[in-house]
PDB file of all heavy atoms in Angstrom:
ATOM      1  N   GLY A  50      26.226  94.337  33.404  1.00  0.00           N
ATOM      2  CA  GLY A  50      27.310  94.159  34.367  1.00  0.00           C
ATOM      3  C   GLY A  50      27.095  92.945  35.245  1.00  0.00           C
ATOM      4  O   GLY A  50      28.020  92.141  35.470  1.00  0.00           O
ATOM      5  N   LEU A  51      25.866  92.783  35.770  1.00  0.00           N
ATOM      6  CA  LEU A  51      25.565  91.614  36.597  1.00  0.00           C
ATOM      7  C   LEU A  51      25.702  90.324  35.800  1.00  0.00           C
ATOM      8  O   LEU A  51      26.207  89.304  36.314  1.00  0.00           O
ATOM      9  CB  LEU A  51      24.143  91.734  37.158  1.00  0.00           C
ATOM     10  CG  LEU A  51      23.909  92.823  38.209  1.00  0.00           C
ATOM     11  CD1 LEU A  51      22.424  92.902  38.567  1.00  0.00           C
ATOM     12  CD2 LEU A  51      24.737  92.546  39.461  1.00  0.00           C
ATOM     13  N   THR A  52      25.262  90.359  34.547  1.00  0.00           N
ATOM     14  CA  THR A  52      25.365  89.163  33.701  1.00  0.00           C
ATOM     15  C   THR A  52      26.822  88.774  33.485  1.00  0.00           C
ATOM     16  O   THR A  52      27.176  87.582  33.554  1.00  0.00           O
ATOM     17  CB  THR A  52      24.683  89.427  32.344  1.00  0.00           C
ATOM     18  OG1 THR A  52      23.301  89.757  32.567  1.00  0.00           O
ATOM     19  CG2 THR A  52      24.763  88.191  31.456  1.00  0.00           C
ATOM     20  N   LEU A  53      27.691  89.744  33.236  1.00  0.00           N
ATOM     21  CA  LEU A  53      29.119  89.453  33.041  1.00  0.00           C
ATOM     22  C   LEU A  53      29.742  88.884  34.316  1.00  0.00           C
ATOM     23  O   LEU A  53      30.554  87.948  34.252  1.00  0.00           O
ATOM     24  CB  LEU A  53      29.854  90.726  32.615  1.00  0.00           C
ATOM     25  CG  LEU A  53      29.567  91.227  31.197  1.00  0.00           C
ATOM     26  CD1 LEU A  53      30.261  92.561  30.957  1.00  0.00           C
ATOM     27  CD2 LEU A  53      30.022  90.194  30.165  1.00  0.00           C
ATOM     28  N   VAL A  54      29.357  89.457  35.454  1.00  0.00           N
ATOM     29  CA  VAL A  54      29.895  88.957  36.725  1.00  0.00           C
ATOM     30  C   VAL A  54      29.517  87.498  36.929  1.00  0.00           C
ATOM     31  O   VAL A  54      30.363  86.644  37.261  1.00  0.00           O
ATOM     32  CB  VAL A  54      29.383  89.823  37.892  1.00  0.00           C
ATOM     33  CG1 VAL A  54      29.709  89.151  39.229  1.00  0.00           C
ATOM     34  CG2 VAL A  54      30.008  91.206  37.839  1.00  0.00           C
ATOM     35  N   PHE A  55      28.236  87.169  36.734  1.00  0.00           N
ATOM     36  CA  PHE A  55      27.790  85.795  36.943  1.00  0.00           C
ATOM     37  C   PHE A  55      28.339  84.858  35.866  1.00  0.00           C
ATOM     38  O   PHE A  55      28.561  83.664  36.135  1.00  0.00           O
ATOM     39  CB  PHE A  55      26.259  85.737  36.986  1.00  0.00           C
ATOM     40  CG  PHE A  55      25.677  86.300  38.245  1.00  0.00           C
ATOM     41  CD1 PHE A  55      24.747  87.331  38.205  1.00  0.00           C
ATOM     42  CD2 PHE A  55      26.061  85.812  39.480  1.00  0.00           C
ATOM     43  CE1 PHE A  55      24.210  87.861  39.366  1.00  0.00           C
ATOM     44  CE2 PHE A  55      25.525  86.331  40.654  1.00  0.00           C
ATOM     45  CZ  PHE A  55      24.603  87.363  40.595  1.00  0.00           C
ATOM     46  N   LEU A  56      28.554  85.375  34.662  1.00  0.00           N
ATOM     47  CA  LEU A  56      29.162  84.556  33.618  1.00  0.00           C
ATOM     48  C   LEU A  56      30.574  84.149  34.015  1.00  0.00           C
ATOM     49  O   LEU A  56      30.971  82.978  33.857  1.00  0.00           O
ATOM     50  CB  LEU A  56      29.186  85.332  32.298  1.00  0.00           C
ATOM     51  CG  LEU A  56      29.808  84.608  31.092  1.00  0.00           C
ATOM     52  CD1 LEU A  56      29.031  83.329  30.776  1.00  0.00           C
ATOM     53  CD2 LEU A  56      29.830  85.527  29.879  1.00  0.00           C
ATOM     54  N   ILE A  57      31.328  85.094  34.559  1.00  0.00           N
ATOM     55  CA  ILE A  57      32.690  84.788  35.023  1.00  0.00           C
ATOM     56  C   ILE A  57      32.641  83.778  36.165  1.00  0.00           C
ATOM     57  O   ILE A  57      33.444  82.831  36.220  1.00  0.00           O
ATOM     58  CB  ILE A  57      33.400  86.082  35.461  1.00  0.00           C
ATOM     59  CG1 ILE A  57      33.621  86.994  34.250  1.00  0.00           C
ATOM     60  CG2 ILE A  57      34.733  85.773  36.130  1.00  0.00           C
ATOM     61  CD1 ILE A  57      34.139  88.368  34.602  1.00  0.00           C
ATOM     62  N   VAL A  58      31.687  83.961  37.084  1.00  0.00           N
ATOM     63  CA  VAL A  58      31.551  83.035  38.213  1.00  0.00           C
ATOM     64  C   VAL A  58      31.267  81.625  37.719  1.00  0.00           C
ATOM     65  O   VAL A  58      31.898  80.643  38.153  1.00  0.00           O
ATOM     66  CB  VAL A  58      30.435  83.513  39.157  1.00  0.00           C
ATOM     67  CG1 VAL A  58      30.108  82.430  40.192  1.00  0.00           C
ATOM     68  CG2 VAL A  58      30.841  84.795  39.855  1.00  0.00           C
ATOM     69  N   VAL A  59      30.316  81.499  36.793  1.00  0.00           N
ATOM     70  CA  VAL A  59      29.928  80.169  36.300  1.00  0.00           C
ATOM     71  C   VAL A  59      31.073  79.510  35.538  1.00  0.00           C
ATOM     72  O   VAL A  59      31.326  78.303  35.680  1.00  0.00           O
ATOM     73  CB  VAL A  59      28.664  80.282  35.424  1.00  0.00           C
ATOM     74  CG1 VAL A  59      28.381  78.962  34.709  1.00  0.00           C
ATOM     75  CG2 VAL A  59      27.466  80.685  36.270  1.00  0.00           C
ATOM     76  N   VAL A  60      31.775  80.305  34.730  1.00  0.00           N
ATOM     77  CA  VAL A  60      32.889  79.745  33.953  1.00  0.00           C
ATOM     78  C   VAL A  60      33.992  79.213  34.870  1.00  0.00           C
ATOM     79  O   VAL A  60      34.625  78.190  34.579  1.00  0.00           O
ATOM     80  CB  VAL A  60      33.446  80.812  32.985  1.00  0.00           C
ATOM     81  CG1 VAL A  60      34.773  80.352  32.376  1.00  0.00           C
ATOM     82  CG2 VAL A  60      32.442  81.093  31.882  1.00  0.00           C
ATOM     83  N   THR A  61      34.213  79.887  35.989  1.00  0.00           N
ATOM     84  CA  THR A  61      35.295  79.455  36.891  1.00  0.00           C
ATOM     85  C   THR A  61      34.895  78.290  37.792  1.00  0.00           C
ATOM     86  O   THR A  61      35.756  77.698  38.453  1.00  0.00           O
ATOM     87  CB  THR A  61      35.743  80.625  37.771  1.00  0.00           C
ATOM     88  OG1 THR A  61      34.618  81.134  38.502  1.00  0.00           O
ATOM     89  CG2 THR A  61      36.343  81.738  36.919  1.00  0.00           C
ATOM     90  N   LEU A  62      33.604  77.949  37.849  1.00  0.00           N
ATOM     91  CA  LEU A  62      33.180  76.857  38.729  1.00  0.00           C
ATOM     92  C   LEU A  62      33.710  75.500  38.268  1.00  0.00           C
ATOM     93  O   LEU A  62      34.078  74.642  39.089  1.00  0.00           O
ATOM     94  CB  LEU A  62      31.647  76.822  38.806  1.00  0.00           C
ATOM     95  CG  LEU A  62      30.974  77.922  39.626  1.00  0.00           C
ATOM     96  CD1 LEU A  62      29.464  77.764  39.580  1.00  0.00           C
ATOM     97  CD2 LEU A  62      31.465  77.904  41.073  1.00  0.00           C
ATOM     98  N   GLN A  63      33.767  75.289  36.951  1.00  0.00           N
ATOM     99  CA  GLN A  63      34.220  73.990  36.452  1.00  0.00           C
ATOM    100  C   GLN A  63      35.668  73.692  36.828  1.00  0.00           C
ATOM    101  O   GLN A  63      35.966  72.584  37.314  1.00  0.00           O
ATOM    102  CB  GLN A  63      34.033  73.932  34.929  1.00  0.00           C
ATOM    103  CG  GLN A  63      34.283  72.561  34.302  1.00  0.00           C
ATOM    104  CD  GLN A  63      33.242  71.542  34.679  1.00  0.00           C
ATOM    105  OE1 GLN A  63      33.266  71.009  35.805  1.00  0.00           O
ATOM    106  NE2 GLN A  63      32.308  71.261  33.771  1.00  0.00           N
ATOM    107  N   PRO A  64      36.587  74.649  36.650  1.00  0.00           N
ATOM    108  CA  PRO A  64      37.961  74.368  37.095  1.00  0.00           C
ATOM    109  C   PRO A  64      38.053  74.050  38.586  1.00  0.00           C
ATOM    110  O   PRO A  64      38.814  73.161  38.988  1.00  0.00           O
ATOM    111  CB  PRO A  64      38.706  75.661  36.752  1.00  0.00           C
ATOM    112  CG  PRO A  64      37.930  76.252  35.627  1.00  0.00           C
ATOM    113  CD  PRO A  64      36.512  75.909  35.918  1.00  0.00           C
ATOM    114  N   PHE A  65      37.293  74.773  39.407  1.00  0.00           N
ATOM    115  CA  PHE A  65      37.326  74.488  40.841  1.00  0.00           C
ATOM    116  C   PHE A  65      36.796  73.084  41.128  1.00  0.00           C
ATOM    117  O   PHE A  65      37.309  72.365  41.995  1.00  0.00           O
ATOM    118  CB  PHE A  65      36.498  75.530  41.605  1.00  0.00           C
ATOM    119  CG  PHE A  65      37.217  76.816  41.847  1.00  0.00           C
ATOM    120  CD1 PHE A  65      36.848  77.974  41.192  1.00  0.00           C
ATOM    121  CD2 PHE A  65      38.288  76.874  42.744  1.00  0.00           C
ATOM    122  CE1 PHE A  65      37.516  79.162  41.406  1.00  0.00           C
ATOM    123  CE2 PHE A  65      38.957  78.062  42.973  1.00  0.00           C
ATOM    124  CZ  PHE A  65      38.584  79.211  42.301  1.00  0.00           C
ATOM    125  N   ALA A  66      35.746  72.711  40.400  1.00  0.00           N
ATOM    126  CA  ALA A  66      35.199  71.365  40.588  1.00  0.00           C
ATOM    127  C   ALA A  66      36.212  70.305  40.175  1.00  0.00           C
ATOM    128  O   ALA A  66      36.362  69.268  40.843  1.00  0.00           O
ATOM    129  CB  ALA A  66      33.910  71.220  39.775  1.00  0.00           C
ATOM    130  N   ARG A  67      36.956  70.552  39.090  1.00  0.00           N
ATOM    131  CA  ARG A  67      37.974  69.607  38.636  1.00  0.00           C
ATOM    132  C   ARG A  67      39.082  69.471  39.669  1.00  0.00           C
ATOM    133  O   ARG A  67      39.577  68.373  39.948  1.00  0.00           O
ATOM    134  CB  ARG A  67      38.569  70.076  37.302  1.00  0.00           C
ATOM    135  CG  ARG A  67      37.577  70.121  36.148  1.00  0.00           C
ATOM    136  CD  ARG A  67      37.121  68.755  35.721  1.00  0.00           C
ATOM    137  NE  ARG A  67      36.287  68.823  34.514  1.00  0.00           N
ATOM    138  CZ  ARG A  67      35.593  67.792  34.036  1.00  0.00           C
ATOM    139  NH1 ARG A  67      35.614  66.625  34.674  1.00  0.00           N
ATOM    140  NH2 ARG A  67      34.853  67.934  32.946  1.00  0.00           N
ATOM    141  N   LEU A  68      39.484  70.604  40.236  1.00  0.00           N
ATOM    142  CA  LEU A  68      40.538  70.570  41.248  1.00  0.00           C
ATOM    143  C   LEU A  68      40.098  69.811  42.491  1.00  0.00           C
ATOM    144  O   LEU A  68      40.931  69.268  43.225  1.00  0.00           O
ATOM    145  CB  LEU A  68      40.935  71.999  41.629  1.00  0.00           C
ATOM    146  CG  LEU A  68      41.712  72.796  40.569  1.00  0.00           C
ATOM    147  CD1 LEU A  68      41.905  74.229  41.024  1.00  0.00           C
ATOM    148  CD2 LEU A  68      43.067  72.136  40.290  1.00  0.00           C
ATOM    149  N   SER A  69      38.777  69.781  42.710  1.00  0.00           N
ATOM    150  CA  SER A  69      38.253  69.074  43.883  1.00  0.00           C
ATOM    151  C   SER A  69      37.960  67.612  43.586  1.00  0.00           C
ATOM    152  O   SER A  69      37.399  66.903  44.431  1.00  0.00           O
ATOM    153  CB  SER A  69      36.978  69.761  44.381  1.00  0.00           C
ATOM    154  OG  SER A  69      37.235  71.108  44.700  1.00  0.00           O
ATOM    155  N   GLY A  70      38.302  67.183  42.380  1.00  0.00           N
ATOM    156  CA  GLY A  70      38.119  65.787  42.022  1.00  0.00           C
ATOM    157  C   GLY A  70      36.752  65.457  41.487  1.00  0.00           C
ATOM    158  O   GLY A  70      36.383  64.281  41.413  1.00  0.00           O
ATOM    159  N   GLY A  71      36.004  66.444  41.096  1.00  0.00           N
ATOM    160  CA  GLY A  71      34.683  66.194  40.547  1.00  0.00           C
ATOM    161  C   GLY A  71      34.493  66.916  39.230  1.00  0.00           C
ATOM    162  O   GLY A  71      35.447  67.350  38.588  1.00  0.00           O
ATOM    163  N   GLY A  72      33.250  67.031  38.823  1.00  0.00           N
ATOM    164  CA  GLY A  72      32.928  67.715  37.576  1.00  0.00           C
ATOM    165  C   GLY A  72      31.478  68.153  37.584  1.00  0.00           C
ATOM    166  O   GLY A  72      30.652  67.587  38.316  1.00  0.00           O
ATOM    167  N   LEU A  73      31.177  69.166  36.790  1.00  0.00           N
ATOM    168  CA  LEU A  73      29.820  69.701  36.723  1.00  0.00           C
ATOM    169  C   LEU A  73      29.301  69.590  35.305  1.00  0.00           C
ATOM    170  O   LEU A  73      29.995  69.984  34.352  1.00  0.00           O
ATOM    171  CB  LEU A  73      29.804  71.169  37.162  1.00  0.00           C
ATOM    172  CG  LEU A  73      30.289  71.467  38.587  1.00  0.00           C
ATOM    173  CD1 LEU A  73      30.348  72.964  38.814  1.00  0.00           C
ATOM    174  CD2 LEU A  73      29.387  70.804  39.615  1.00  0.00           C
ATOM    175  N   PRO A  74      28.107  69.043  35.114  1.00  0.00           N
ATOM    176  CA  PRO A  74      27.529  68.965  33.762  1.00  0.00           C
ATOM    177  C   PRO A  74      27.362  70.357  33.157  1.00  0.00           C
ATOM    178  O   PRO A  74      26.938  71.295  33.835  1.00  0.00           O
ATOM    179  CB  PRO A  74      26.175  68.290  33.995  1.00  0.00           C
ATOM    180  CG  PRO A  74      26.298  67.608  35.320  1.00  0.00           C
ATOM    181  CD  PRO A  74      27.217  68.445  36.130  1.00  0.00           C
ATOM    182  N   LEU A  75      27.669  70.475  31.885  1.00  0.00           N
ATOM    183  CA  LEU A  75      27.565  71.775  31.221  1.00  0.00           C
ATOM    184  C   LEU A  75      26.126  72.278  31.196  1.00  0.00           C
ATOM    185  O   LEU A  75      25.876  73.476  31.270  1.00  0.00           O
ATOM    186  CB  LEU A  75      28.116  71.674  29.800  1.00  0.00           C
ATOM    187  CG  LEU A  75      29.629  71.449  29.672  1.00  0.00           C
ATOM    188  CD1 LEU A  75      30.039  71.366  28.205  1.00  0.00           C
ATOM    189  CD2 LEU A  75      30.396  72.556  30.374  1.00  0.00           C
ATOM    190  N   ILE A  76      25.186  71.351  31.082  1.00  0.00           N
ATOM    191  CA  ILE A  76      23.777  71.763  31.084  1.00  0.00           C
ATOM    192  C   ILE A  76      23.409  72.409  32.410  1.00  0.00           C
ATOM    193  O   ILE A  76      22.712  73.429  32.458  1.00  0.00           O
ATOM    194  CB  ILE A  76      22.860  70.556  30.786  1.00  0.00           C
ATOM    195  CG1 ILE A  76      22.989  70.145  29.325  1.00  0.00           C
ATOM    196  CG2 ILE A  76      21.403  70.893  31.106  1.00  0.00           C
ATOM    197  CD1 ILE A  76      22.099  68.998  28.928  1.00  0.00           C
ATOM    198  N   PHE A  77      23.909  71.850  33.510  1.00  0.00           N
ATOM    199  CA  PHE A  77      23.627  72.430  34.822  1.00  0.00           C
ATOM    200  C   PHE A  77      24.287  73.800  34.965  1.00  0.00           C
ATOM    201  O   PHE A  77      23.726  74.714  35.574  1.00  0.00           O
ATOM    202  CB  PHE A  77      24.109  71.495  35.926  1.00  0.00           C
ATOM    203  CG  PHE A  77      23.197  70.316  36.162  1.00  0.00           C
ATOM    204  CD1 PHE A  77      22.055  70.137  35.390  1.00  0.00           C
ATOM    205  CD2 PHE A  77      23.474  69.386  37.152  1.00  0.00           C
ATOM    206  CE1 PHE A  77      21.217  69.054  35.598  1.00  0.00           C
ATOM    207  CE2 PHE A  77      22.645  68.305  37.371  1.00  0.00           C
ATOM    208  CZ  PHE A  77      21.507  68.139  36.593  1.00  0.00           C
ATOM    209  N   LEU A  78      25.477  73.952  34.412  1.00  0.00           N
ATOM    210  CA  LEU A  78      26.147  75.249  34.473  1.00  0.00           C
ATOM    211  C   LEU A  78      25.375  76.303  33.678  1.00  0.00           C
ATOM    212  O   LEU A  78      25.253  77.455  34.105  1.00  0.00           O
ATOM    213  CB  LEU A  78      27.576  75.131  33.943  1.00  0.00           C
ATOM    214  CG  LEU A  78      28.568  74.396  34.852  1.00  0.00           C
ATOM    215  CD1 LEU A  78      29.920  74.261  34.166  1.00  0.00           C
ATOM    216  CD2 LEU A  78      28.727  75.113  36.192  1.00  0.00           C
ATOM    217  N   ALA A  79      24.848  75.914  32.511  1.00  0.00           N
ATOM    218  CA  ALA A  79      24.035  76.841  31.723  1.00  0.00           C
ATOM    219  C   ALA A  79      22.766  77.218  32.484  1.00  0.00           C
ATOM    220  O   ALA A  79      22.342  78.383  32.491  1.00  0.00           O
ATOM    221  CB  ALA A  79      23.680  76.224  30.377  1.00  0.00           C
ATOM    222  N   ALA A  80      22.154  76.228  33.139  1.00  0.00           N
ATOM    223  CA  ALA A  80      20.960  76.498  33.932  1.00  0.00           C
ATOM    224  C   ALA A  80      21.285  77.421  35.100  1.00  0.00           C
ATOM    225  O   ALA A  80      20.514  78.339  35.424  1.00  0.00           O
ATOM    226  CB  ALA A  80      20.370  75.189  34.445  1.00  0.00           C
ATOM    227  N   LEU A  81      22.441  77.193  35.731  1.00  0.00           N
ATOM    228  CA  LEU A  81      22.851  78.048  36.840  1.00  0.00           C
ATOM    229  C   LEU A  81      23.022  79.494  36.380  1.00  0.00           C
ATOM    230  O   LEU A  81      22.576  80.433  37.056  1.00  0.00           O
ATOM    231  CB  LEU A  81      24.162  77.533  37.437  1.00  0.00           C
ATOM    232  CG  LEU A  81      24.784  78.404  38.540  1.00  0.00           C
ATOM    233  CD1 LEU A  81      23.865  78.475  39.745  1.00  0.00           C
ATOM    234  CD2 LEU A  81      26.162  77.878  38.943  1.00  0.00           C
ATOM    235  N   LEU A  82      23.652  79.698  35.222  1.00  0.00           N
ATOM    236  CA  LEU A  82      23.862  81.047  34.709  1.00  0.00           C
ATOM    237  C   LEU A  82      22.528  81.760  34.500  1.00  0.00           C
ATOM    238  O   LEU A  82      22.363  82.926  34.887  1.00  0.00           O
ATOM    239  CB  LEU A  82      24.640  80.994  33.391  1.00  0.00           C
ATOM    240  CG  LEU A  82      24.813  82.327  32.662  1.00  0.00           C
ATOM    241  CD1 LEU A  82      25.620  83.294  33.515  1.00  0.00           C
ATOM    242  CD2 LEU A  82      25.462  82.126  31.303  1.00  0.00           C
ATOM    243  N   VAL A  83      21.567  81.074  33.898  1.00  0.00           N
ATOM    244  CA  VAL A  83      20.272  81.704  33.606  1.00  0.00           C
ATOM    245  C   VAL A  83      19.529  82.061  34.890  1.00  0.00           C
ATOM    246  O   VAL A  83      18.877  83.108  34.972  1.00  0.00           O
ATOM    247  CB  VAL A  83      19.412  80.786  32.716  1.00  0.00           C
ATOM    248  CG1 VAL A  83      17.997  81.320  32.584  1.00  0.00           C
ATOM    249  CG2 VAL A  83      20.046  80.642  31.346  1.00  0.00           C
ATOM    250  N   THR A  84      19.637  81.216  35.902  1.00  0.00           N
ATOM    251  CA  THR A  84      18.924  81.510  37.147  1.00  0.00           C
ATOM    252  C   THR A  84      19.621  82.585  37.975  1.00  0.00           C
ATOM    253  O   THR A  84      18.975  83.262  38.780  1.00  0.00           O
ATOM    254  CB  THR A  84      18.778  80.242  37.998  1.00  0.00           C
ATOM    255  OG1 THR A  84      20.074  79.652  38.197  1.00  0.00           O
ATOM    256  CG2 THR A  84      17.867  79.235  37.321  1.00  0.00           C
ATOM    257  N   LEU A  85      20.933  82.752  37.781  1.00  0.00           N
ATOM    258  CA  LEU A  85      21.657  83.762  38.545  1.00  0.00           C
ATOM    259  C   LEU A  85      21.476  85.166  37.966  1.00  0.00           C
ATOM    260  O   LEU A  85      21.376  86.142  38.706  1.00  0.00           O
ATOM    261  CB  LEU A  85      23.151  83.423  38.596  1.00  0.00           C
ATOM    262  CG  LEU A  85      23.559  82.196  39.424  1.00  0.00           C
ATOM    263  CD1 LEU A  85      25.060  82.026  39.393  1.00  0.00           C
ATOM    264  CD2 LEU A  85      23.076  82.323  40.856  1.00  0.00           C
TER     265      LEU A  85
END
């Protein structure tokens, strides 16, 4: 359950970053998921 929650959080971070005019490397997002 915790893994699914954090997976959803990480997946939604990229769209928010795009809306803010930036972007997040996919490698960093994968690293974030594993640490969360």
Side-chain angles (χ1 to χ4, degrees):
L51 291 175
T52 301
L53 289 175
V54 169
F55 287 124
L56 180 61
I57 294 172
V58 170
V59 170
V60 169
T61 57
L62 286 179
Q63 188 69 283
F65 279 110
R67 296 292 186 190
L68 289 174
S69 302
L73 300 174
L75 292 180
I76 289 182
F77 283 1
L78 288 176
L81 175 63
L82 174 63
V83 171
T84 54
L85 291 181

